[in-house]
Amino acid sequence: MTYCVGLKIGSGLVFMSDTRTNAGVDNISTFRKMKVWERPDERVIVLLSAGNLATTQAVASLLDERSKAPEDRTPSILATPSMFQTARLVGDTLKEVIRQAAIGGQSADAFGASFILGGQIRGGEPRLFLIYPEGNFIESGPDTPFFQIGETKYGKPILIRAHEMDLSFEETAKLLLVSFDSTVKSNLSVGLPLDLLCYPADSFKVGHQKRIEQDDPCFRAISDGWSQALRSAFKSLPDFEF
């Protein structure tokens, strides 16, 4: 399992993903689940992945390999005319990988994966998509400003309660760290290091990008502060009367 979030704010897009994968409690590994394609002054595309590791790596590798010489390889993620067409390309590549993997007779469900795709291509606005294992997708909007994939339930309440479009990148990073802290504490299949990326709208280049390790002092301070704040808030509530 994993946990990834893509979130839209007024000033751009923010992405965070964990790095833990496991095939049982005795087989836990670390793999990066955030892939970035950047062509300065023209496009930035970010892809977060969850699900079957072989599938997600194959999709990212195919997209990357086909971008090396876009004039000779069509379609290419560096040549798509819009983020909508990029989402279609990722969905089609996912279907291609699953179809090939299932040729041996196994159910396609065994190779399922989902993705969060976000970014901006010159001529369009920053956009955010959720791509399902079937290859179809939906786009974020005013009522759905963020997408989650993987182990979503523990970190969702804080996002729903605290997200606002006018948050700064610093505030949004703090919000996501609280969401991830809640998830890490509740599910052993999600763990640090975490990858964080901020994309400022209309910049057409990656903004802040950081890997957050276990001993990161900011993460530790936010984790401890959030625990203390929850205890204080609980104690301040009126007692239940029988």
Side-chain angles (χ1 to χ4, degrees):
M1 190 55 74
T2 188
Y3 182 41
C4 301
V5 180
L7 190 148
K8 180 180 285 189
I9 54 176
S11 51
L13 302 170
V14 184
F15 305 88
M16 187 174 283
S17 59
D18 85 320
T19 55
R20 178 166 293 180
T21 62
N22 68 290
V25 295
D26 59 346
N27 188 12
I28 296 175
S29 303
T30 297
F31 285 92
R32 183 176 174 88
K33 302 166 189 175
M34 180 185 295
K35 178 68 178 177
V36 183
W37 291 270
E38 180 181 18
R39 179 170 280 176
D41 298 324
E42 198 270 331
R43 71 180 62 205
V44 170
I45 297 169
V46 181
L47 188 68
L48 309 180
S49 60
N52 183 282
L53 182 61
T55 300
T56 59
Q57 288 196 341
V59 170
S61 295
L62 269 177
L63 291 169
D64 197 44
E65 194 271 339
R66 290 168 178 172
S67 72
K68 299 303 183 183
E71 65 278 3
D72 300 325
R73 302 176 186 271
T74 303
S76 165
I77 200 166
L78 293 179
T80 49
S82 68
M83 285 302 301
F84 179 84
Q85 292 298 328
T86 306
R88 289 189 61 182
L89 173 60
V90 174
D92 289 344
T93 306
L94 175 58
K95 288 187 288 186
E96 175 188 347
V97 168
I98 292 178
R99 187 167 54 248
Q100 289 294 322
I103 286 178
Q106 279 188 270
S107 169
D109 293 341
F111 305 99
S114 54
F115 295 87
I116 294 172
L117 172 74
Q120 186 177 17
I121 296 173
R122 185 167 292 280
E125 298 295 321
R127 300 174 75 175
L128 190 66
F129 297 87
L130 173 62
I131 301 172
Y132 295 106
E134 295 78 12
N136 55 339
F137 56 86
I138 59 174
E139 183 175 4
S140 68
D143 296 326
T144 311
F146 64 86
F147 289 130
Q148 304 167 279
I149 52 176
E151 189 56 75
T152 62
K153 56 183 176 290
Y154 302 109
K156 190 173 185 177
I158 180 62
L159 297 179
I160 293 174
R161 291 174 184 268
H163 173 270
E164 295 178 355
M165 288 298 291
D166 61 354
L167 290 175
S168 66
F169 283 118
E170 292 80 5
E171 291 171 325
T172 304
K174 178 171 62 176
L175 173 61
L176 289 178
L177 285 174
V178 171
S179 178
F180 273 75
D181 179 62
S182 300
T183 305
V184 168
K185 281 183 167 61
S186 302
N187 193 302
L188 291 175
S189 68
V190 178
L192 280 74
L194 308 176
D195 289 315
L196 167 68
L197 185 147
C198 300
Y199 170 72
D202 301 323
S203 66
F204 301 101
K205 63 180 180 180
V206 172
H208 303 290
Q209 191 170 13
K210 181 178 181 180
R211 171 156 285 199
I212 299 164
E213 303 285 353
Q214 286 279 359
D215 58 352
D216 185 90
C218 182
F219 177 75
R220 294 266 61 88
I222 289 174
S223 176
D224 294 343
W226 180 243
S227 296
Q228 294 170 9
L230 284 177
R231 285 193 291 269
S232 298
F234 173 74
K235 291 179 180 179
S236 69
L237 295 174
D239 290 337
F240 180 80
E241 296 182 4
F242 289 96

